[in-house]
Amino acid sequence: DAKTTQPTSMDCAEGRAANLPCNHSTISGNEYVYWYRQIHSQGPQYIIHGLKNNETNEMASLIITEDRKSSTLILPHATLRDTAVYYCIVRPRANAGGTSYGKLTFGQGTILTVHP
Amino acid sequence: GAVVSQHPSWVICKSGTSVKIECRSLDFQATTMFWYRQFPKQSLMLMATSNEGSKATYEQGVEKDKFLINHASLTLSTLTVTSAHPEDSSFYICSALADYISYEQYFGPGTRLTVT
Protein backbone atom coordinates (compact mmCIF):
# COMPACT_ATOMS: atom_id res chain seq x y z
CA ASP A 1 0.00 0.00 0.00
CA ALA A 2 2.75 2.37 -1.05
CA LYS A 3 1.47 5.93 -1.17
CA THR A 4 3.69 6.99 -4.05
CA THR A 5 3.91 6.34 -7.77
CA GLN A 6 7.19 6.52 -9.65
CA PRO A 7 8.26 5.59 -13.18
CA THR A 8 9.85 2.17 -13.31
CA SER A 9 13.04 3.34 -14.99
CA MET A 10 14.78 6.40 -16.39
CA ASP A 11 17.97 7.08 -18.28
CA CYS A 12 20.22 10.09 -18.02
CA ALA A 13 23.43 11.17 -19.72
CA GLU A 14 26.44 11.75 -17.53
CA GLY A 15 26.84 15.41 -16.63
CA ARG A 16 23.21 16.24 -17.30
CA ALA A 17 20.51 16.86 -14.73
CA ALA A 18 18.42 13.88 -13.71
CA ASN A 19 14.83 14.75 -12.84
CA LEU A 20 12.97 11.98 -11.05
CA PRO A 21 9.23 12.48 -10.61
CA CYS A 22 7.01 11.13 -7.87
CA ASN A 23 3.26 11.29 -7.45
CA HIS A 24 1.80 11.30 -3.96
CA SER A 25 -1.73 12.54 -4.53
CA THR A 26 -3.06 11.19 -1.23
CA ILE A 27 -0.41 12.84 0.93
CA SER A 28 -1.78 14.29 4.13
CA GLY A 29 -0.84 17.52 5.83
CA ASN A 30 1.41 15.91 8.42
CA GLU A 31 3.43 13.83 5.96
CA TYR A 32 6.87 14.59 4.63
CA VAL A 33 8.29 13.51 1.28
CA TYR A 34 11.53 11.55 1.65
CA TRP A 35 13.94 10.33 -0.98
CA TYR A 36 16.37 7.47 -0.56
CA ARG A 37 18.49 5.64 -3.08
CA GLN A 38 19.93 2.16 -3.16
CA ILE A 39 22.99 1.28 -5.13
CA HIS A 40 23.15 -2.36 -6.14
CA SER A 41 23.73 -4.71 -3.19
CA GLN A 42 24.04 -1.91 -0.67
CA GLY A 43 21.77 -0.48 2.01
CA PRO A 44 19.62 2.55 1.16
CA GLN A 45 21.12 6.00 1.47
CA TYR A 46 19.17 9.04 2.62
CA ILE A 47 19.12 11.85 0.04
CA ILE A 48 16.73 14.59 1.07
CA HIS A 49 13.32 15.31 2.50
CA GLY A 50 10.78 18.14 2.56
CA LEU A 51 7.33 19.13 3.70
CA LYS A 52 6.14 21.87 1.36
CA ASN A 53 9.08 24.12 0.57
CA ASN A 54 11.72 23.28 -1.97
CA GLU A 55 14.86 21.89 -0.42
CA THR A 56 18.48 21.66 -1.53
CA ASN A 57 21.50 19.95 -0.07
CA GLU A 58 24.87 18.82 -1.34
CA MET A 59 23.38 15.80 -3.06
CA ALA A 60 20.18 16.99 -4.66
CA SER A 61 17.25 19.38 -4.85
CA LEU A 62 13.65 18.55 -4.04
CA ILE A 63 10.86 20.43 -5.74
CA ILE A 64 7.39 19.94 -4.23
CA THR A 65 4.33 21.24 -6.05
CA GLU A 66 2.16 23.77 -4.30
CA ASP A 67 -0.65 21.26 -3.81
CA ARG A 68 1.95 18.75 -2.53
CA LYS A 69 0.54 16.03 -4.73
CA SER A 70 3.79 15.48 -6.57
CA SER A 71 7.48 16.18 -6.31
CA THR A 72 10.67 15.97 -8.34
CA LEU A 73 14.11 14.98 -7.18
CA ILE A 74 16.83 16.71 -9.14
CA LEU A 75 20.41 15.49 -9.37
CA PRO A 76 21.98 18.53 -11.00
CA HIS A 77 24.99 16.87 -12.62
CA ALA A 78 24.49 13.12 -12.75
CA THR A 79 27.54 10.85 -12.62
CA LEU A 80 27.91 7.16 -13.29
CA ARG A 81 27.95 6.61 -9.53
CA ASP A 82 24.40 7.96 -9.33
CA THR A 83 23.10 4.85 -11.07
CA ALA A 84 20.76 3.36 -8.47
CA VAL A 85 17.16 2.71 -7.49
CA TYR A 86 15.56 5.89 -6.17
CA TYR A 87 12.72 5.62 -3.69
CA CYS A 88 10.19 8.34 -2.97
CA ILE A 89 8.47 7.80 0.39
CA VAL A 90 5.84 9.75 2.27
CA ARG A 91 6.13 9.60 6.00
CA PRO A 92 4.41 11.30 8.92
CA ARG A 93 6.06 13.89 11.05
CA ALA A 94 8.04 12.79 14.07
CA ASN A 95 5.63 11.26 16.52
CA ALA A 96 6.29 10.35 20.09
CA GLY A 97 5.70 6.62 19.97
CA GLY A 98 2.96 4.70 18.25
CA THR A 99 3.26 1.60 16.13
CA SER A 100 4.00 3.53 12.96
CA TYR A 101 6.72 5.65 14.51
CA GLY A 102 9.70 5.93 12.23
CA LYS A 103 8.45 3.40 9.69
CA LEU A 104 9.47 3.69 6.05
CA THR A 105 7.37 1.92 3.44
CA PHE A 106 9.37 1.33 0.28
CA GLY A 107 7.65 1.11 -3.09
CA GLN A 108 9.31 -0.20 -6.24
CA GLY A 109 11.23 2.99 -6.90
CA THR A 110 12.78 4.26 -10.13
CA ILE A 111 15.81 2.58 -11.61
CA LEU A 112 18.01 5.44 -12.77
CA THR A 113 20.74 4.51 -15.23
CA VAL A 114 23.35 7.14 -15.97
CA HIS A 115 25.11 6.61 -19.31
CA PRO A 116 28.56 7.86 -20.29
CA GLY B 1 28.52 10.46 11.51
CA ALA B 2 25.54 8.12 11.94
CA VAL B 3 27.23 4.96 10.72
CA VAL B 4 25.51 1.60 10.94
CA SER B 5 27.38 -1.65 10.42
CA GLN B 6 26.22 -5.20 9.84
CA HIS B 7 28.03 -8.44 10.38
CA PRO B 8 28.52 -10.62 8.52
CA SER B 9 28.26 -9.01 5.11
CA TRP B 10 27.45 -12.38 3.60
CA VAL B 11 26.85 -15.85 4.95
CA ILE B 12 26.14 -19.28 3.53
CA CYS B 13 24.51 -21.86 5.75
CA LYS B 14 22.94 -25.26 5.44
CA SER B 15 19.23 -25.84 5.58
CA GLY B 16 18.01 -26.39 9.13
CA THR B 17 20.72 -24.39 10.83
CA SER B 18 20.38 -20.99 12.49
CA VAL B 19 22.16 -17.80 11.51
CA LYS B 20 22.68 -14.64 13.55
CA ILE B 21 23.10 -11.23 11.95
CA GLU B 22 24.35 -8.26 13.95
CA CYS B 23 23.46 -4.62 13.44
CA ARG B 24 25.46 -1.97 15.26
CA SER B 25 25.19 1.79 15.43
CA LEU B 26 28.83 2.85 15.62
CA ASP B 27 28.71 6.48 16.66
CA PHE B 28 25.28 7.01 18.13
CA GLN B 29 22.74 5.34 20.36
CA ALA B 30 19.80 3.95 18.43
CA THR B 31 16.48 4.27 20.18
CA THR B 32 14.85 2.17 17.49
CA MET B 33 16.19 -0.34 15.00
CA PHE B 34 14.41 -1.81 12.01
CA TRP B 35 14.98 -5.02 10.07
CA TYR B 36 14.15 -5.30 6.38
CA ARG B 37 14.33 -8.13 3.89
CA GLN B 38 14.87 -7.73 0.17
CA PHE B 39 14.49 -10.46 -2.42
CA PRO B 40 16.18 -10.13 -5.83
CA LYS B 41 14.71 -7.41 -8.02
CA GLN B 42 12.21 -6.47 -5.32
CA SER B 43 11.88 -3.61 -2.90
CA LEU B 44 12.68 -3.60 0.79
CA MET B 45 10.04 -5.11 3.04
CA LEU B 46 9.97 -4.18 6.71
CA MET B 47 10.10 -7.25 8.91
CA ALA B 48 10.12 -5.82 12.41
CA THR B 49 10.76 -2.83 14.62
CA SER B 50 12.73 -3.13 17.81
CA ASN B 51 13.28 -0.81 20.72
CA GLU B 52 16.05 -1.33 23.22
CA GLY B 53 14.97 -3.46 26.12
CA SER B 54 11.56 -4.39 24.78
CA LYS B 55 10.08 -7.01 22.51
CA ALA B 56 10.17 -6.43 18.80
CA THR B 57 7.04 -5.56 16.86
CA TYR B 58 6.69 -7.78 13.82
CA GLU B 59 4.95 -6.91 10.58
CA GLN B 60 2.02 -8.98 9.46
CA GLY B 61 3.09 -12.26 7.94
CA VAL B 62 6.53 -12.33 9.57
CA GLU B 63 7.00 -15.31 11.89
CA LYS B 64 8.36 -14.05 15.18
CA ASP B 65 9.49 -17.52 16.23
CA LYS B 66 11.51 -17.92 13.07
CA PHE B 67 13.08 -14.46 12.99
CA LEU B 68 14.26 -13.76 16.51
CA ILE B 69 15.19 -10.18 17.22
CA ASN B 70 17.14 -9.05 20.25
CA HIS B 71 17.85 -5.40 20.99
CA ALA B 72 19.82 -5.73 24.19
CA SER B 73 21.64 -2.41 24.03
CA LEU B 74 21.30 0.98 22.39
CA THR B 75 24.00 0.12 19.88
CA LEU B 76 23.28 -3.50 19.01
CA SER B 77 20.39 -5.44 17.57
CA THR B 78 20.57 -9.00 16.35
CA LEU B 79 18.40 -10.96 13.95
CA THR B 80 18.53 -14.75 14.20
CA VAL B 81 17.05 -16.78 11.39
CA THR B 82 16.17 -20.08 13.00
CA SER B 83 15.93 -23.37 11.11
CA ALA B 84 16.80 -21.62 7.89
CA HIS B 85 15.45 -22.89 4.59
CA PRO B 86 16.40 -22.00 1.02
CA GLU B 87 13.40 -19.66 0.76
CA ASP B 88 14.93 -17.57 3.56
CA SER B 89 17.81 -16.72 1.24
CA SER B 90 17.65 -12.96 0.89
CA PHE B 91 19.36 -9.64 1.53
CA TYR B 92 18.75 -8.55 5.13
CA ILE B 93 19.17 -4.87 5.93
CA CYS B 94 18.95 -3.10 9.25
CA SER B 95 18.47 0.56 10.00
CA ALA B 96 18.77 2.62 13.13
CA LEU B 97 16.98 5.71 14.31
CA ALA B 98 18.11 8.09 17.01
CA ASP B 99 15.28 10.46 17.64
CA TYR B 100 17.39 12.66 19.91
CA ILE B 101 19.56 13.46 16.85
CA SER B 102 17.07 13.58 14.03
CA TYR B 103 14.18 11.67 12.59
CA GLU B 104 16.29 9.96 9.94
CA GLN B 105 16.89 6.26 9.56
CA TYR B 106 20.46 5.27 8.88
CA PHE B 107 20.88 2.01 7.02
CA GLY B 108 23.46 -0.70 7.34
CA PRO B 109 25.21 -2.17 4.29
CA GLY B 110 23.11 -5.34 4.35
CA THR B 111 23.81 -9.04 4.83
CA ARG B 112 23.44 -11.52 1.99
CA LEU B 113 22.14 -14.85 3.33
CA THR B 114 22.25 -17.94 1.17
CA VAL B 115 20.74 -21.16 2.52
CA THR B 116 21.79 -24.31 0.70
Side-chain angles (χ1 to χ4, degrees):
Chain A
D1 59 344
K3 295 182 178 181
T4 63
T5 304
Q6 299 178 250
T8 302
S9 64
M10 294 183 65
D11 290 340
C12 178
E14 188 177 21
R16 305 298 291 266
N19 298 295
L20 292 88
C22 179
N23 286 324
H24 31 79
S25 58
T26 61
I27 193 170
S28 61
N30 69 345
E31 289 182 317
Y32 284 81
V33 179
Y34 276 75
W35 284 84
Y36 284 79
R37 73 179 182 184
Q38 186 180 24
I39 295 170
H40 183 62
S41 294
Q42 296 183 23
Q45 176 189 22
Y46 165 80
I47 301 174
I48 199 167
H49 76 279
L51 183 63
K52 55 182 179 180
N53 297 321
N54 297 339
E55 302 288 343
T56 296
N57 62 20
E58 65 277 4
M59 289 183 67
S61 295
L62 175 61
I63 308 299
I64 303 174
T65 58
E66 192 169 343
D67 63 6
R68 302 211 320 124
K69 293 185 177 182
S70 65
S71 61
T72 301
L73 178 74
I74 301 172
L75 308 179
H77 305 286
T79 70
L80 299 178
R81 287 175 294 181
D82 291 323
T83 292
V85 180
Y86 286 76
Y87 297 100
C88 170
I89 302 169
V90 296
R91 182 194 193 189
R93 288 175 187 261
N95 183 27
T99 58
S100 63
Y101 180 64
K103 281 187 179 182
L104 291 172
T105 301
F106 286 82
Q108 293 304 308
T110 296
I111 302 171
L112 174 68
T113 304
V114 181
H115 296 286
Chain B
V3 178
V4 177
S5 70
Q6 284 184 239
H7 178 81
S9 55
W10 59 270
V11 58
I12 301 172
C13 72
K14 293 187 176 180
S15 187
T17 63
S18 295
V19 174
K20 180 185 285 188
I21 301 170
E22 293 185 349
C23 176
R24 293 182 185 271
S25 55
L26 298 185
D27 51 2
F28 66 101
Q29 293 183 324
T31 48
T32 306
M33 286 185 168
F34 303 85
W35 286 94
Y36 296 81
R37 180 168 55 181
Q38 186 175 33
F39 292 109
K41 297 185 184 296
Q42 294 188 22
S43 189
L44 284 80
M45 294 296 295
L46 179 65
M47 299 176 67
T49 302
S50 74
N51 294 290
E52 184 263 342
S54 61
K55 290 184 178 180
T57 301
Y58 290 82
E59 295 298 301
Q60 191 173 6
V62 178
E63 301 174 58
K64 62 180 181 180
D65 294 330
K66 180 170 182 62
F67 299 99
L68 303 179
I69 292 172
N70 184 282
H71 193 163
S73 77
L74 284 172
T75 59
L76 173 64
S77 177
T78 61
L79 168 68
T80 301
V81 182
T82 62
S83 187
H85 291 284
E87 56 265 30
D88 298 323
S89 298
S90 189
F91 193 49
Y92 291 88
I93 306 168
C94 73
S95 69
L97 183 155
D99 56 10
Y100 63 92
I101 299 175
S102 72
Y103 191 43
E104 311 322 322
Q105 282 190 36
Y106 301 98
F107 285 83
T111 296
R112 176 77 58 192
L113 170 63
T114 301
V115 184
T116 61

